[in-house]
């Protein structure tokens, strides 16, 4: 099933490993005044990560302005507000310090700030975006990730929500990569168990989906199997003991590899389906929504027998060494979810109704339609609705 051609463009310089934040000041930073983007929560300050980052930037002579309003599912308005601060303060660099939502916001702020428009959706897709070309190059940005979930430190777009139209979509440009990414697992030691699990499964699904995608190829196979193997080996350990630095390190590696999966392959419709869920229900954590969908989603493809050998390979990578048939993958996946305490998540707890299935299916295809051609085979809206119904609890 794997294609024998691929294109790869990954210009980000990655500083990977425990303690690497301490080496940021040794890098040649592409700016002199930075907007430092963090979440609206307290963790970046409480854990000292913000002060450490500001100190590293100060050592290089970079002045800083802090923007602390990014929420778990970043919105168009939050990104626009950050971009307006960049313009007002004359910043020529953006630094994202946080999880996937913060990094997504930072990279889109960097893209949008130099443009002549005040409306981010002039440069977005979905079903209301105007898809205008960028008038100016984006600003350079630096990613400092504090979670292992999205791979956003090494890809070029961010997921942004437009609440009034219920669009949760990728916004970005082909040149939107970070100049530098700091992947320091010491910054991930403070992530609580449930969110460690949600984020770890998000990284896992990037690679699982990419591995059954029509775009899979030798390069993507390599990084996907590395990610799947490391999540399968280390995620439950990190959930059980958040201070396990070895487990955190290998999860961080898996996360970055899943980011490269998106650069060389792509996610399939499972991600589009979850985006529809959290676009309608913004309190739903992205990783949790993916977990809710996962068994029914992958069972759908197993039942169609479109990539049987790939499911066996993924089952083995997840740790089921004796896997010999596609159904073994579901067993391995459920076993990992049980070990991480997330096997019983329910859509109904977030207000999702079974009768919403077709509405969600249509939203997924309308807003993230580019994911569906990556699927192993074509689907109808009714089939996608059927997956929602099978996953609903």
């Amino acid at each position: 099933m794997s294609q024998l051609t691929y294109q790869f463009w990954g210009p980000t310089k990655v500083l990977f490993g425990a303690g690497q934040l301490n080496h940021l000041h040794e890098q040649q930073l592409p700016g002199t005044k930075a907007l430092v983007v963090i979440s609206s929560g307290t963790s970046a300050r409480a854990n000292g990560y913000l002060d450490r980052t500001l100190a590293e930037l100060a050592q290089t002579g970079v002045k800083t302005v802090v923007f602390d309003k990014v929420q778990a599912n970043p919105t168009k308005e939050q990104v626009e507000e950050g971009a307006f601060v960049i313009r007002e303060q004359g910043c020529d660099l953006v630094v994202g310090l946080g999880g996937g939502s913060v990094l997504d916001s930072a990279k889109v702020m960097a893209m949008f700030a130099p443009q002549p428009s005040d409306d981010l959706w002039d440069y977005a897709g979905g079903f209301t975006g105007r898809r205008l070309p960028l008038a100016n190059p984006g600003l350079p940005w630096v990613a400092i990730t504090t979670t292992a979930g999205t791979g956003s430190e090494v890809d070029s777009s961010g997921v942004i929500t437009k609440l009034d139209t219920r669009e949760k979509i990728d916004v970005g440009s082909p040149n939107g990569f970070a100049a530098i990414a700091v992947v320091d697992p010491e910054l991930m030691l403070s992530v609580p168990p449930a969110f460690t699990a949600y984020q770890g499964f998000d990284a896992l699904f990037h690679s699982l989906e990419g591995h059954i995608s029509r775009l899979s190829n030798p390069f993507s196979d390599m990084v996907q199997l590395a990610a799947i193997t490391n999540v399968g080996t280390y995620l439950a350990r990190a959930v059980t003991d958040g201070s396990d630095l070895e487990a955190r390190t290998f999860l961080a590696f898996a996360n970055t590899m899943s980011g490269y999966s998106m650069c060389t392959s792509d996610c399939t419709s499972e991600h589009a389906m979850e985006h529809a869920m959290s676009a309608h229900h913004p309190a739903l954590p992205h990783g949790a929504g993916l977990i809710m969908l996962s068994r029914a989603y992958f069972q759908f493809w197993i039942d169609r027998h479109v990539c049987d050998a790939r499911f066996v390979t993924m089952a083995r990578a997840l740790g089921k060494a004796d896997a010999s048939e596609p159904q073994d993958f579901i067993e391995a996946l459920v076993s990992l979810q049980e070990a991480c305490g997330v096997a019983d998540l329910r859509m109904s707890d977030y207000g999702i109704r079974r009768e919403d299935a077709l509405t969600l299916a249509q939203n997924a295809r309308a807003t993230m339609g580019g994911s569906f051609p990556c699927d192993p085979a074509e689907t109808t809206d009714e089939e996608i609705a059927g997956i929602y119904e099978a996953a609903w609890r």
Side-chain angles (χ1 to χ4, degrees):
M1 176 176 174
S2 182
Q3 299 184 93
L4 296 180
T5 62
Y6 67 87
Q7 295 184 11
F8 175 64
W9 169 237
T12 302
K13 180 177 183 178
V14 178
L15 310 182
F16 182 90
Q20 285 300 305
L21 178 58
N22 300 329
H23 297 282
L24 180 60
H25 72 274
E26 300 167 2
Q27 309 304 309
Q28 184 173 352
L29 297 178
T32 58
K33 187 174 184 180
L35 184 77
V36 179
V37 182
I38 62 173
S39 77
S40 58
T42 61
S43 61
R45 287 190 169 94
N47 293 308
Y49 305 154
L50 177 60
D51 286 344
R52 289 177 59 191
T53 298
L54 296 179
E56 289 290 315
L57 294 171
Q59 285 191 64
T60 69
V62 172
K63 297 178 180 179
T64 53
V65 178
V66 175
F67 182 83
D68 60 358
K69 298 183 180 181
V70 175
Q71 297 176 354
N73 283 305
T75 66
K76 170 182 181 288
E77 290 76 17
Q78 291 164 17
V79 171
E80 288 173 340
E81 183 178 356
F84 298 155
V85 174
I86 292 171
R87 296 175 184 177
E88 292 162 3
Q89 295 290 328
C91 298
D92 57 1
L93 174 66
V94 180
V95 176
L97 170 66
S101 296
V102 168
L103 301 190
D104 281 2
S105 298
K107 77 176 66 169
V108 180
M109 290 176 192
M111 178 205 78
F112 177 56
Q115 308 313 319
S117 172
D118 289 340
D119 186 346
L120 174 63
W121 241 238
D122 279 344
Y123 310 101
F127 49 77
T128 65
R130 286 169 283 283
R131 294 181 171 83
L132 296 181
L134 298 182
N136 301 302
L139 296 178
W141 75 286
V142 172
I144 306 172
T145 182
T146 61
T147 66
T150 67
S152 189
E153 67 272 15
V154 292
D155 72 10
S156 62
S157 64
V159 177
I160 308 299
T161 299
K162 190 171 185 287
L163 291 171
D164 59 339
T165 54
R166 292 176 173 169
E167 294 171 271
K168 184 178 178 183
I169 61 174
D170 287 330
V171 181
S173 77
N175 297 315
F177 292 93
I180 299 169
V182 178
V183 185
D184 184 341
E186 289 182 350
L187 307 185
M188 304 171 189
L189 295 172
S190 58
V191 180
F195 284 94
T196 296
Y198 298 162
Q199 294 155 8
F201 273 100
D202 185 14
L204 177 64
F205 292 130
H206 287 161
S207 283
L208 293 175
E209 293 173 41
H211 203 60
I212 65 169
S213 156
R214 292 182 183 180
L215 301 181
S216 61
N217 58 72
F219 191 109
S220 68
D221 289 349
M222 174 180 66
V223 295
Q224 288 153 4
L225 291 174
I228 295 166
T229 298
N230 281 287
V231 172
T233 303
Y234 293 102
L235 179 56
R237 274 178 54 177
V239 171
T240 301
D241 179 7
S243 66
D244 185 336
L245 183 58
E246 180 182 55
R248 293 288 191 185
T249 299
F250 283 104
L251 280 180
F253 176 72
N255 177 57
T256 301
M257 292 305 101
S258 278
Y260 287 133
S261 170
M262 291 185 288
C263 295
T264 53
S265 176
D266 210 343
C267 294
T268 60
S269 56
E270 185 192 22
H271 259 70
M273 293 174 67
E274 197 295 314
H275 284 181
M277 291 164 61
S278 48
H280 282 76
H281 303 273
L284 173 64
H286 176 55
L290 289 168
I291 293 167
M292 294 171 189
L293 285 169
S294 60
R295 280 170 274 181
Y297 181 81
F298 289 111
Q299 189 66 57
F300 173 83
W301 294 115
I302 288 171
D303 291 343
R304 293 186 71 172
H305 297 287
V306 289
C307 48
D308 286 353
R310 296 216 147 218
F311 278 107
V312 174
T313 298
M314 293 191 301
R316 292 174 181 168
L318 278 178
K320 190 170 176 54
D322 61 349
S324 60
E325 58 184 15
Q327 198 63 35
D328 290 331
F329 168 79
I330 299 296
E331 182 180 335
L333 179 65
V334 172
S335 177
L336 182 59
Q337 291 175 354
E338 290 172 345
C340 295
V342 295
D344 297 321
L345 298 177
R346 302 190 305 175
M347 293 184 188
S348 57
D349 289 341
Y350 291 87
I352 300 171
R353 304 176 304 168
R354 195 171 188 272
E355 55 265 34
D356 296 334
L358 186 59
T359 297
L360 292 173
Q362 292 169 339
N363 177 287
R365 201 181 297 270
T367 59
M368 294 285 289
S371 297
F372 287 84
C374 301
D375 284 346
E378 293 183 3
T379 59
T380 65
D381 286 347
E382 289 71 22
E383 286 172 325
I384 296 299
I387 297 173
Y388 280 119
E389 291 169 352
W392 188 89
R393 285 188 287 180

